[in-house]
Amino acid sequence: MFNNRRLRNNTFVNYFRLAYREAILSGNYVSRRALIKKVIEESRPLFDVSYDYALSVINKMRSGKLTVKNPLKCRMWHEIYNYVTDEMRRRDVTVGEALATVLAEKHASQFYISYIQASKILYHEKVYIFHSYRRRSA
């Protein structure tokens, strides 16, 4: 699970850097907050969940026993569930095979993180770059 979060964070930072560069070069930069919200809503990353955890959640959803309090995560699980059911119908495969295909090939409609979490990701990335630069130059 930790590797999935690291991959999501790196992907978010890369999308943010590209959007920032593009906004600066085109003269459309308004604010950091607006740029973060744009990246969250308009980027199409891979899903940031492990196969085992996703399989258990999908099985709970199929039996109607899923309880997710975070509305962003709830939307993400419903999106994954819809992709999985479409894949099962289309290819006539099991839940596990459909889920593996979805996690490997399908992209989420957005980053399922809040603005606050996105700001923390960018902050920690900046701190990491600063400390790694200091270690190299010392």
Side-chain angles (χ1 to χ4, degrees):
M1 186 116 134
F2 180 70
N3 289 333
N4 293 327
R5 296 289 183 246
R6 186 180 307 158
L7 178 63
R8 179 206 59 197
N9 293 352
N10 288 341
T11 304
F12 177 76
V13 169
N14 289 335
Y15 276 117
F16 181 81
R17 286 179 180 158
L18 289 173
Y20 180 74
R21 184 177 302 129
E22 185 179 299
I24 293 294
L25 291 175
S26 66
N28 293 334
Y29 181 78
V30 178
S31 69
R32 183 174 180 266
R33 175 180 292 269
L35 191 58
I36 288 173
K37 287 184 177 185
K38 178 183 176 189
V39 170
I40 288 172
E41 294 169 358
E42 295 180 5
S43 299
R44 302 217 359 114
L46 292 172
F47 290 102
D48 62 327
V49 295
S50 69
Y51 173 81
D52 294 330
Y53 184 62
L55 186 60
S56 69
V57 171
I58 294 299
N59 286 331
K60 287 178 187 176
M61 289 181 81
R62 293 181 74 194
S63 65
K65 297 179 182 175
L66 180 68
T67 56
V68 177
K69 294 179 183 175
N70 184 338
L72 285 172
K73 293 299 177 188
C74 188
R75 285 197 339 236
M76 180 189 73
W77 287 117
H78 282 289
E79 184 176 352
I80 292 173
Y81 180 75
N82 290 337
Y83 280 146
V84 168
T85 54
D86 290 346
E87 194 71 22
M88 287 171 59
R89 262 188 254 116
R90 190 174 63 80
R91 291 185 31 217
D92 192 30
V93 293
T94 64
V95 175
E97 292 170 335
L99 179 62
T101 302
V102 166
L103 292 179
E105 298 175 1
K106 298 287 186 181
H107 290 264
S109 61
Q110 68 177 59
F111 277 100
Y112 288 102
I113 56 176
S114 66
Y115 168 78
I116 293 170
Q117 183 64 34
S119 294
K120 288 178 183 178
I121 291 168
L122 292 173
Y123 171 77
H124 288 292
E125 178 67 16
K126 186 169 76 172
V127 168
Y128 175 76
I129 290 170
F130 175 73
H131 287 297
S132 64
Y133 176 74
R134 287 186 62 195
R135 270 187 256 134
R136 276 188 261 138
S137 62

